[in-house]
Amino acid sequence: MRRVLAVVWAILACVAGPLAAQEFTTLKGHGGPIMALAVSPEGNVASASFDNSVGLWSGQEPHWLEGHDAAVSAVAFGPGDVLVSGGDDFAVRLWTPDTRVLGHHEGKVSALAVSPDGQHVVSGSWDGSIQLWPVAASGQGLLIDRPGSGVNTLGFSADGAYLYAGTTDGALIRYDLVGGSAPFPMVQHGFGINELVVGTGWVAYGAVDGGTRVVDAQTGDAIADFTLDRRPILAMDWHAETGQIAVGDGQGYIMMLDTNAWRIVSDTRATRQGPVWALAFSTDGAIIHAGGLDDVVYAWPVATLDQFGESMGQTERAFLRDPATMSNGERQFMRKCSICHALTDAPSRKAGPSLFGVFGRAAGSVDGYAYSDTLSGSPIVWDDDTIDALFDQGPDHYIPGSKMPMQVITKPQDRADLIAFMKEATGAAEAGEN
């Protein structure tokens, strides 16, 4: 794997930067929503998805990085070709310059950052821990003082001397990595801080209540407030050379800030339906990449961003349709199953295996899918009774240890309608399968 990635990096280095030269582009190939984005110093894009994978893009065709056992929720580049990802499987994975698992948290990995010298990776989790991992294979992880609640976001100062953390209970905390002094509580916002970026002498953060604020990096004193009547803030990125901050929110807007004059430059609705979960500038700051509920990465020229309003989410997604237009069985499927599973036998990069042909199929038997140990070799055969039991008890009870998320359909009629819809959609009803 290490040799393969070395070849990939060599190829990417030869073609680096093509995305920045285009007017408007979409990167298609993922099988689920885009959870995080990052751009390397060479101009390549890394996309983290609900489909359990990381896509590495230098053009329209990605190189897929597989290894997470659940949705990939964070991704970061650093100097020295460092690429790291974290996921809902609690794992922190290094992809380059080496390929290995750095370690694990006890909960979802929600934040990553690479030190300015490229020697360390820091990861934060909803389990309330922050860990510092050396990139060198011989090192051991270091547990940093717990901030008191789950960690949503992390960032280093430019010199690497300080680490900033935003937490689920609304704290913005500064850690002195050189002097070793006690963590300094800079801000207590009152609502969870989801995102932060660290500039020269300032920290900007975005919060659950829609707060978008800038504070002094040493004292925590207020510098600017760009809070609008939208919530929550879900994505931020900063481009130092051009002095731009991009802010994405749960109502589908991308706001561009000028850090030299501390003013709003533009405020564009990027998608009519759904949030903006991920943002990343190109290396020259001319392009902003964005991701959300759609399984596509979008990239717009910053200078003409307002001309591309609501261009995200143009592909129809069944789970975004009006529930009133669906049968009850289809509604149950869209709510419980559609993000992870396809119903056709066409190739799919979704997080779970296709359900085409599921009736009468042994559990854990789709070729090419990496099942959990629980389902591999399981005696379960999927039929009306076993699918009903799966959602009656919930996957965590019916097949404990599987990758399936915890969910229950409490009403027997809802379960029956779901099974009937699945039979119809997969052709099992016509074939007379049970």
Side-chain angles (χ1 to χ4, degrees), residues 14 29 85 128 240 287 394 408:
C14 295
S85 61
I287 299 289
V408 171

Side-chain angles (χ1 to χ4, degrees), residues 1 52-54 64-70 72 89 91 93 95 101:
M1 182 66 174
N52 301 2
S53 67
V54 176
W64 296 112
L65 304 179
E66 310 283 5
H68 284 285
D69 292 327
V72 187
D89 57 355
R93 297 191 68 97
W95 298 104
V101 176

Side-chain angles (χ1 to χ4, degrees), residues 229-299:
D229 189 22
R230 295 196 298 268
R231 62 185 64 186
I233 304 303
L234 298 172
M236 295 183 80
D237 195 29
W238 176 53
H239 190 263
E241 289 75 12
T242 57
Q244 301 176 97
I245 296 177
V247 183
D249 64 42
Q251 294 176 237
Y253 284 81
I254 299 176
M255 176 172 61
M256 303 297 298
L257 306 177
D258 176 0
T259 65
N260 296 313
W262 291 122
R263 65 185 182 92
I264 298 175
V265 176
S266 65
D267 189 34
T268 304
R269 185 161 196 162
T271 176
R272 178 175 292 275
Q273 300 183 88
V276 177
W277 270 332
L279 291 169
F281 282 106
S282 60
T283 52
D284 61 3
I287 299 289
I288 186 68
H289 304 85
L293 276 178
D294 210 352
D295 50 17
V296 177
V297 178
Y298 295 85

Side-chain angles (χ1 to χ4, degrees), residues 150-407:
V151 180
N152 282 334
T153 180
L154 295 165
F156 283 98
S157 61
D159 60 4
Y162 295 100
L163 174 70
Y164 298 86
T167 72
T168 56
D169 71 353
L172 178 62
I173 301 171
R174 188 184 71 232
Y175 291 89
D176 184 351
L177 301 180
V178 176
S181 57
F184 175 59
M186 298 176 60
V187 171
Q188 185 59 56
H189 183 76
F191 291 82
I193 293 176
N194 287 336
E195 295 288 334
L196 66 80
V197 292
V198 184
T200 305
W202 54 263
V203 178
Y205 70 87
V208 170
D209 66 340
T212 305
R213 297 176 181 172
V214 186
V215 299
D216 185 276
Q218 289 296 316
T219 66
D221 294 340
I223 294 176
D225 190 338
F226 299 103
T227 301
L228 301 177
D229 189 22
R230 295 196 298 268
R231 62 185 64 186
I233 304 303
L234 298 172
M236 295 183 80
D237 195 29
W238 176 53
H239 190 263
E241 289 75 12
T242 57
Q244 301 176 97
I245 296 177
V247 183
D249 64 42
Q251 294 176 237
Y253 284 81
I254 299 176
M255 176 172 61
M256 303 297 298
L257 306 177
D258 176 0
T259 65
N260 296 313
W262 291 122
R263 65 185 182 92
I264 298 175
V265 176
S266 65
D267 189 34
T268 304
R269 185 161 196 162
T271 176
R272 178 175 292 275
Q273 300 183 88
V276 177
W277 270 332
L279 291 169
F281 282 106
S282 60
T283 52
D284 61 3
I287 299 289
I288 186 68
H289 304 85
L293 276 178
D294 210 352
D295 50 17
V296 177
V297 178
Y298 295 85
W300 301 274
V302 172
T304 56
L305 179 59
D306 57 354
Q307 298 177 20
F308 296 94
E310 299 183 10
S311 53
M312 290 177 69
Q314 291 301 303
T315 302
E316 183 180 2
R317 301 296 168 195
F319 56 79
L320 294 177
R321 283 168 42 207
D322 182 355
T325 66
M326 306 179 196
S327 68
N328 183 45
E330 185 178 7
R331 281 197 299 272
Q332 298 301 322
F333 180 82
M334 294 308 161
R335 291 169 177 168
K336 301 292 185 178
C337 313
S338 64
I339 291 290
C340 294
H341 297 282
L343 290 168
T344 66
D345 62 350
S348 170
R349 288 199 55 82
K350 287 182 176 287
S354 173
L355 298 181
F356 184 83
V358 68
F359 289 91
R361 187 170 76 200
S365 63
V366 174
D367 290 341
Y369 184 78
Y371 288 95
S372 62
D373 293 340
T374 297
L375 275 180
S376 297
S378 168
I380 295 172
V381 174
W382 296 120
D383 58 19
D384 293 36
D385 293 335
T386 53
I387 293 175
D388 181 81
L390 175 70
F391 288 105
D392 182 22
Q393 300 177 33
D396 53 321
H397 291 289
Y398 188 64
I399 41 176
S402 79
K403 299 178 184 178
M404 294 184 68
M406 294 179 288
Q407 51 189 337

